[in-house]
Amino acid sequence: MKNLKPIVAKRPFTVYFDVTTGITDQMDRMVTRRLSDYQGMFLDDNALEEMLKKEDKVVCNFTELGLEEVEENLLFGTSIVYPGKVGKEYFMTKGHFHAKINLGEVYYCLSGDGMLVMETPDGDTEIVRLKPGVSVFVPGRWAHRSVNIGNAPLVTFYVFRADAGHDYETIKVKGFRKLVIENNGEPAVIDNPKWKGLSK
Ligand code: MN
């Protein structure tokens, strides 16, 4: 992770985001995730290994503005998931719970075609379609992952309370209960055969 100083915002400020590409004028505060960051997280480990022999592709970028992580602040930015697949499984964000699990988030799709995959620790699941103009309220306790099912970048804008924090580890270890794969040229939601139903 880049080691930029937190922004201490005492006055209003603006950030530019391109609505088609999600690209911002704060590119030094964009985090890049590549295929090699997803070891064990896609269904088809062999497909991932074969792809990595050729190229460590960028899977997604997201803004990490670095505002102070205090409850008075809101963190916001764009998430960009590039088109692609590992085996039959579409490129996606890693997905996470919030460290303060009761804090929610809002997503607003700017461009592309995708799914937001969500689940609670108790096993409730919800998957919604992301298209430009669709906003999603993700309540507290719902882990969330965006999946790009189209041929162009999937760009979403998000806002959450700045002290929410991120728990990526639970999803890394357990996975999501549901996966989005391509089946006969169409996106399909399946139960995750690798899901590890351990208690959280
Ligand atoms: Mn989040």
Side-chain angles (χ1 to χ4, degrees):
M1 201 63 73
K2 293 168 198 168
N3 201 10
L4 293 167
K5 277 187 181 167
I7 298 172
V8 180
K10 298 293 185 196
R11 295 191 62 80
F13 67 95
T14 65
V15 181
Y16 173 79
F17 298 99
D18 184 280
V19 294
T20 304
T21 64
I23 295 298
T24 167
D25 58 3
Q26 300 284 324
M27 284 310 283
D28 59 338
R29 292 188 182 266
M30 282 297 252
V31 176
T32 297
R33 297 249 200 257
R34 294 177 180 276
L35 283 171
S36 56
D37 298 315
Y38 284 77
Q39 299 285 356
M41 297 187 74
F42 282 101
L43 183 55
D44 190 337
D45 291 315
N46 293 330
L48 179 62
E49 200 176 315
E50 287 305 309
M51 287 174 81
L52 281 172
K53 284 179 190 167
K54 294 177 198 134
E55 188 188 349
D56 191 7
K57 284 190 177 173
V58 174
V59 177
C60 68
N61 286 319
F62 58 91
T63 319
E64 192 150 281
L65 273 189
L67 279 170
E68 278 187 302
E69 295 184 358
V70 293
E71 65 179 13
E72 298 90 329
N73 282 344
L74 296 170
L75 280 173
F76 61 95
T78 46
S79 160
I80 308 163
V81 185
Y82 294 98
K85 278 178 294 181
V86 174
K88 292 181 163 188
E89 193 174 10
Y90 298 101
F91 278 14
M92 61 195 184
T93 60
K94 286 185 174 182
H96 57 261
F97 288 92
H98 290 157
K100 290 185 180 171
I101 195 168
N102 290 326
L103 294 183
E105 183 160 354
V106 170
Y107 278 82
Y108 182 61
C109 183
L110 299 176
S111 68
D113 192 0
M115 305 257 204
L116 193 64
V117 178
M118 294 165 280
E119 71 173 48
T120 68
D122 321 305
D124 206 353
T125 62
E126 183 77 44
I127 297 173
V128 300
R129 189 75 177 261
L130 293 173
K131 291 182 173 190
V134 173
S135 61
V136 186
F137 177 59
V138 182
R141 295 185 60 75
W142 287 81
H144 36 286
R145 159 185 285 169
S146 1
V147 179
N148 186 344
I149 60 171
N151 301 313
L154 172 68
V155 182
T156 50
F157 182 82
Y158 56 82
V159 186
F160 59 93
R161 214 173 85 178
D163 61 331
H166 291 92
D167 165 18
Y168 285 103
E169 195 59 27
T170 302
I171 294 299
K172 189 176 180 185
V173 172
K174 290 172 66 170
F176 274 81
R177 288 167 169 85
K178 301 285 183 185
L179 301 179
V180 186
I181 62 160
E182 188 185 72
N183 187 19
N184 298 322
E186 294 290 328
V189 176
I190 62 165
D191 290 331
N192 179 3
K194 285 165 84 176
W195 185 74
K196 296 188 178 68
L198 309 166
S199 61
K200 177 181 157 57

